[in-house]
Amino acid sequence: MKKPTLLLLHGWNWKNYSKFGNIDPWNNRLKFIQELEKIFDVYKVIFPGFCGVLEPNDSWNLDDFAGYVKKYMGDGNLYPDFVLGYSFGGAVAIRLKSSFGLNCPIILVSPAIIRAISHSNVHLYGFFKKIIPGFLVNFAREIYLSYVVDNPYYKHGTRFLKKTYLDIVRVDLSGELSMFPRGDFVCIFGSDDTATPPNLLLKKNKNSDAIKMIQIIDGGGHDIANTHTKELINLINDFIRKKGGM
């Protein structure tokens, strides 16, 4: 029987920035990929700035990344049966579905729908920019994120990655998720995920049907693809069976 097609959208892993020379953004989750390949015919998108893909001159927002995936699909005449987004890739999948006409179901794993960004304090930037000249705020932010809190996502980034990162961490997609039909997505978190905590999303969607599509793996963190591979694959299998994908 022909396998359903799956398009993978990777996360914002600073170790996969192009300067580190990695060629596959899923190289730290190979067991998970191997399990997915037993179920799906797998395709991968690599975002600019990662694993050797050239960067644009200006920073991107979430729409730019979703448009990039849309173009990838169009150039390759790819019409996947499912799209799986991990962490930041989950945010891209949501925007791709809400604004770019993606009509297949999406599988969201540890998705960056609402981020816990208190560790970087990037949300203070807008406040200080109102009372301090912009160039001083930018300089202070560079010192703070790179050397005080030692945020690797920012510190190791190029100009493009730094500016883009500061934009994407502010995005809250809980409203977009709540608009999707219940059977069009599944959202899988680890209960102990501190990077994209599920409790933030559960609170936002407590009166929405979306909450019924949120699955929690007990004891898992952000990297449930490695630590809870079997449980994660089982939940994905359950979802695609319900969608008639197997």
Side-chain angles (χ1 to χ4, degrees):
M1 186 172 67
K2 187 176 182 294
K3 295 179 182 178
T5 54
L6 176 70
L7 180 62
L8 294 177
L9 308 180
H10 66 83
W12 196 277
N13 184 351
W14 62 270
K15 294 180 180 179
N16 286 327
Y17 289 173
S18 292
K19 73 177 185 179
F20 293 111
N22 294 332
I23 60 172
D24 184 349
W26 297 90
N27 64 351
N28 63 326
R29 296 187 170 114
L30 293 180
K31 181 182 177 182
F32 177 56
I33 298 301
Q34 290 167 357
E35 292 300 317
L36 288 176
E37 287 174 340
K38 295 176 182 178
I39 307 167
F40 300 101
D41 186 9
V42 173
Y43 296 83
K44 301 173 184 176
V45 175
I46 302 178
F47 296 129
F50 295 85
C51 298
V53 176
L54 293 178
E55 300 175 357
N57 292 326
D58 297 321
S59 62
W60 276 14
N61 58 32
L62 196 56
D63 282 353
D64 293 313
F65 285 97
Y68 179 83
V69 176
K70 184 75 172 180
K71 185 176 186 303
Y72 172 89
M73 292 167 58
D75 288 348
N77 291 316
L78 176 63
Y79 305 97
D81 296 303
F82 298 88
V83 170
L84 186 152
Y86 205 112
S87 193
F88 170 68
V92 178
I94 292 171
R95 183 57 55 84
L96 188 63
K97 191 166 183 63
S98 66
S99 301
F100 286 80
L102 181 71
N103 57 13
C104 70
I106 56 176
I107 301 165
L108 308 172
V109 182
S110 301
I113 298 171
I114 310 174
R115 290 175 182 261
I117 60 171
S118 58
H119 67 284
S120 62
N121 283 333
V122 297
H123 59 294
L124 293 177
Y125 174 69
F127 170 75
F128 284 115
K129 193 173 182 180
K130 295 177 182 178
I131 60 174
I132 301 174
F135 74 94
L136 288 177
V137 175
N138 291 338
F139 176 74
R141 180 184 60 191
E142 179 74 25
I143 296 299
Y144 181 74
L145 292 178
S146 296
Y147 302 104
V148 178
V149 296
D150 195 24
N151 182 330
Y153 300 96
Y154 186 86
K155 179 178 180 178
H156 295 296
T158 59
R159 179 177 178 273
F160 164 77
L161 290 168
K162 286 180 177 180
K163 292 183 69 176
T164 299
Y165 171 77
L166 291 174
D167 181 78
I168 64 170
V169 295
R170 297 186 179 96
V171 176
D172 180 348
L173 294 168
S174 56
E176 293 180 35
L177 187 72
S178 67
M179 294 188 299
F180 297 155
R182 191 168 74 185
D184 269 10
F185 74 97
V186 64
C187 191
I188 307 170
F189 288 97
S191 62
D192 301 333
D193 189 338
T194 57
T196 56
N199 62 299
L200 295 179
L201 184 62
L202 291 168
K203 288 178 182 177
K204 282 269 190 173
N205 285 275
K206 61 183 179 180
N207 297 318
S208 165
D209 271 355
I211 199 168
K212 298 174 183 176
M213 298 306 294
I214 299 172
Q215 302 286 335
I216 306 295
I217 295 178
D218 189 45
H222 193 65
D223 193 22
I224 49 177
N226 281 326
T227 61
H228 294 71
T229 310
K230 182 177 180 180
E231 295 97 319
L232 178 56
I233 290 294
N234 286 342
L235 288 173
I236 292 172
N237 266 325
D238 288 344
F239 177 66
I240 64 173
R241 286 194 187 100
K242 291 175 183 175
K243 296 300 295 182
M246 291 186 68

